[in-house]
Amino acid sequence: MSDGGGGMIPSALPGRDRSVPVLHFAFILSGLLFLAGCDNNPHPAPYHKTRPDGSPWAVRYMGLPADPKSFDPQFVYTTIDQQILEPVYDKLLEYDPRKTDPITLRAAMLEEMPKKEVQPDGTVSYLCRLKRDIHYHDDPCFERTGGKGREVVVADVHYALQRIADPKVESPFFAPLEQRIIGLHETREMGMKTGKFDYATPVSGFEQIDSHTFRLHLKGPYPQILYWLGMHTMSPVAREAVEYYDGQMHDGKLRPSFRFYAVGHGPFRMREYIPRRAIRYERFEGYHTDTFPTEGFPPERAEVCKKYAGKPLPLFDELFIMIVPELIPGFVLGRQGFLDSITATKDAFPSVVTPDRQLQPKYKARGMTLERIGFPSTFYYCFNMNDPVVGKNVKLRKALASACDMRAYVEIFYSGVAPVSNQLVPRGIYGYNPDYVDPNAFDLEKAKRLLAEAGYPGGRDAKTGEQLVITVNDAVEGTEMRQRAEYEQRMFERLGIKIKIAESTFARVIERLETGDFQLSSGSGWAADYPDPENFFMLFYSKNMPREGSNHCRYSRPEFDRAFEQMSTMDNGPERLALIEKMNAMLAEDCPVIWQFDKVTFLAAQPWAAWTHNSRMIEYSNNKYHQVDPVLREKLRAEWNRQPIWPLFALGGLLIGGLGYAVRWNRRNHV
């Protein structure tokens, strides 16, 4: 007999199915048992339950909106990549987590701040000393030591500098650094004589004094070099790791590429990377480069910080970064306690933050705290100045710029919090002018006039009558990203033109910016590598073209270059401000970009993960200084996610009723 699904059910008597009631009962019973015991925790089990001393194993849970592009310190430059890299690789210098006004560098892998030396020929040098007994994470690439991570030495810093010069690495930092570090350009030229970079070619501006001491020689004054030493770009890298992880088959096994395999020396070692899902890290037990500060705590954080003063770092055992492209699920996970903070995104903002920018009472009652992260950054739409349509028609670019209502955009997608940009240098960085007025600001009627003057009256070619079509390169990896892309499309199409959205991943958007495969790119911008206007204006310096630099617009103007070269090494003062004003005027005149907004994020930290610091130069902050209370987390999670008890009552009733029914059914069919 068919069961309605293509199978057969045995029966004792012809035409009668005596097992159906039992099967129905079993299915219902199993369903109720599942409901009674199900758990909504989306995370895998931690690597351990307890530490060796028996105390609870502590895990920190974060969320990021997209996958990384790379794990290579000499290649990465997006904020997402840097946040993923930060737990694995320490830096020579770092931003002091306690000092944010002014933003201050301090020694990290170095014993002390570099000592500046001015040579008789006018060149400038910096003497640096590495701390001793810093080791790489254990890894099979260290074959000579049986997989035991060796000590970090000066040769590793030199190797990182050579990798910046190697064209195969495609480091976007080569162009700005070759202008400053003696011999870096020559190293590339000499190293490429055979067609493949020869790592036997040294960088003449790097002087190795001993295994832990080196001197970096510059072409002239360049105080910003200290900021470069505070970036992952200059982090030491093990040559063994780069050569071992080559993406090739070895003994029948495929080794990953170094670009997606991290062997660092930081507080955590990367254990797993599951694309589009998660990245998992575990505490590096051999880490003793730094300890938690003992003084200088901000008053509002003193109570939390004093508990950890002088303790070894990191303060927790495992880091789980979840890839959450959809922002609402991220909010729900945070609200349930499965992420250690709730980011106040577009749709979640009113639920987390009050109109006067305070934490909503319901979350305050939970013991959560509100963090405002004002990271120095400027976002913009980027024109491809090599494109035959937009790149050769300045009035067309200005028309598109004047059609952008960024105030409305920010109100919709950032709840009016993110400041609208009107210039390159963001708030909080020297050179920002609060009185500056952007001549290409939103003015729809002006935009229509400019479009006509550009040769496209009403959005159509004056000669052919065909509608103008512009393709916008846009990252679309979730619902909110798609909403932004659709809003941008409608905003530009008010001019009568046609906008085609080229949807892709964030990593693909960056790749197109590097290769020049775009007309107009959304989601472009720059988050400060260091707090100096030179770091922003270099984005339009003609010698910083991709892939060796980050001038994605392909902007080139000799007058701008001369002003930049002069401004970049000057001390702050009236003369430097005058050059900044001059460069702002040139960017407004040529309109290679459309300014959007500065980045400001509101985040509610869970009571078990109250922040110990918040520096504007450490986006989402350095993980080694964060703390987690796993006992409090489990207690509150259980309260916030109580399992429904009605399945248990239903189960009891079903058992009683089912037993009675089974007895009656058995008597009817067998007695």
Side-chain angles (χ1 to χ4, degrees), residues 164-184:
I164 293 171
D166 185 351
K168 184 180 178 181
V169 177
E170 297 180 335
S171 176
F173 309 108
F174 173 74
L177 287 177
E178 71 155 337
Q179 300 157 31
R180 310 298 180 186
I181 298 176
I182 291 175
L184 191 61

Side-chain angles (χ1 to χ4, degrees), residues 397-413:
R397 297 195 299 272
K398 289 185 176 183
L400 293 169
S402 297
C404 284
D405 186 356
M406 280 296 110
R407 175 60 59 193
Y409 183 96
V410 165
E411 288 292 338
I412 294 170
F413 295 104

Side-chain angles (χ1 to χ4, degrees), residues 20-180:
V20 169
V22 178
L23 283 173
H24 285 179
F25 178 73
F27 280 129
I28 294 171
L29 178 61
S30 63
L32 287 171
L33 285 170
F34 173 79
L35 287 172
C38 69
D39 184 1
N40 60 345
N41 189 340
H43 303 310
Y47 290 126
H48 303 282
K49 290 184 178 180
T50 60
R51 296 170 174 170
D53 63 2
S55 60
W57 184 263
V59 185
R60 183 173 189 233
Y61 294 97
M62 291 176 58
L64 284 177
D67 278 288
K69 185 180 179 184
S70 173
F71 301 149
D72 186 336
Q74 278 72 57
F75 176 76
V76 304
Y77 62 92
T78 72
T79 55
I80 287 176
D81 293 340
Q82 289 168 354
Q83 287 177 72
I84 286 171
L85 208 62
E86 168 261 308
V88 183
Y89 290 92
D90 263 345
K91 294 171 285 189
L92 299 175
L93 302 177
E94 70 175 17
Y95 292 100
D96 193 319
R98 303 157 299 170
K99 299 177 182 179
T100 60
D101 189 17
I103 296 169
T104 306
L105 282 168
R106 70 170 192 165
M109 296 182 76
L110 297 183
E111 287 185 351
E112 58 187 357
M113 291 296 292
K115 294 182 178 179
K116 180 181 177 181
E117 303 170 340
V118 180
Q119 307 299 332
D121 61 357
T123 59
V124 175
S125 303
Y126 285 87
L127 182 66
C128 306
R129 291 186 175 86
L130 276 175
K131 291 178 180 177
R132 294 185 177 273
D133 205 26
I134 297 176
H135 284 76
Y136 286 100
H137 305 156
D138 294 347
D139 191 271
C141 72
F142 298 110
E143 296 174 309
R144 292 183 180 179
T145 55
K148 187 72 174 176
R150 64 166 175 81
E151 187 179 17
V152 178
V153 293
V154 163
D156 300 324
V157 183
H158 181 235
Y159 180 65
L161 203 55
Q162 289 177 302
R163 295 192 73 241
I164 293 171
D166 185 351
K168 184 180 178 181
V169 177
E170 297 180 335
S171 176
F173 309 108
F174 173 74
L177 287 177
E178 71 155 337
Q179 300 157 31
R180 310 298 180 186

Side-chain angles (χ1 to χ4, degrees), residues 13 41 67 70 134 146 178 244 261 293 322 336 362 379 416 519 530 562 592 599-600 626 641 652:
L13 295 175
N41 189 340
D67 278 288
S70 173
I134 297 176
E178 71 155 337
Y244 187 88
Y261 193 92
M322 192 175 189
Q336 293 175 323
K362 61 182 177 182
F379 286 81
Q519 269 191 304
Y530 45 87
R562 288 192 294 271
K599 190 171 184 179
V600 175
H626 274 295
N641 298 275

Side-chain angles (χ1 to χ4, degrees), residues 277-419:
R277 290 181 58 190
I279 305 170
R280 301 184 71 179
Y281 309 76
E282 187 177 2
R283 165 202 286 270
F284 173 40
E285 293 297 339
Y287 184 80
H288 48 259
T289 305
D290 201 2
T291 58
F292 198 86
T294 57
E295 59 184 2
F297 307 130
E300 68 276 11
R301 305 181 194 277
E303 184 178 352
V304 174
C305 293
K306 286 178 181 178
K307 294 188 296 183
Y308 304 103
K311 286 194 173 184
L313 297 175
L315 298 176
F316 57 91
D317 307 290
E318 184 179 332
L319 175 62
F320 186 96
I321 297 181
M322 192 175 189
I323 308 301
V324 192
E326 295 286 354
L327 299 179
I328 289 300
F331 166 72
V332 173
L333 288 170
R335 187 180 61 189
Q336 293 175 323
F338 296 113
L339 292 177
D340 287 341
S341 61
I342 301 175
T343 302
T345 56
K346 176 179 74 73
D347 294 326
F349 194 89
S351 298
V352 179
V353 182
T354 64
D356 61 346
R357 305 296 184 251
Q358 301 298 315
L359 188 63
Q360 286 284 2
K362 61 182 177 182
Y363 292 116
K364 195 171 183 179
R366 282 185 169 192
M368 302 177 76
T369 54
L370 188 66
E371 298 289 340
R372 184 182 187 275
I373 308 168
F375 197 70
S377 55
T378 302
F379 286 81
Y380 47 78
Y381 296 100
C382 180
F383 288 111
N384 185 350
M385 298 296 282
N386 290 339
D387 181 78
V389 178
V390 299
K392 309 304 179 184
N393 194 329
V394 65
K395 287 191 175 181
L396 173 57
R397 297 195 299 272
K398 289 185 176 183
L400 293 169
S402 297
C404 284
D405 186 356
M406 280 296 110
R407 175 60 59 193
Y409 183 96
V410 165
E411 288 292 338
I412 294 170
F413 295 104
Y414 289 91
S415 301
V417 171

Side-chain angles (χ1 to χ4, degrees), residues 632-654:
L632 181 61
R633 170 197 278 143
E634 291 307 311
K635 175 180 179 295
L636 294 179
R637 263 190 191 174
E639 293 177 4
W640 299 349
N641 298 275
R642 293 187 186 279
Q643 297 298 321
I645 61 173
W646 65 264
L648 297 175
F649 289 106
L651 178 61
L654 183 63

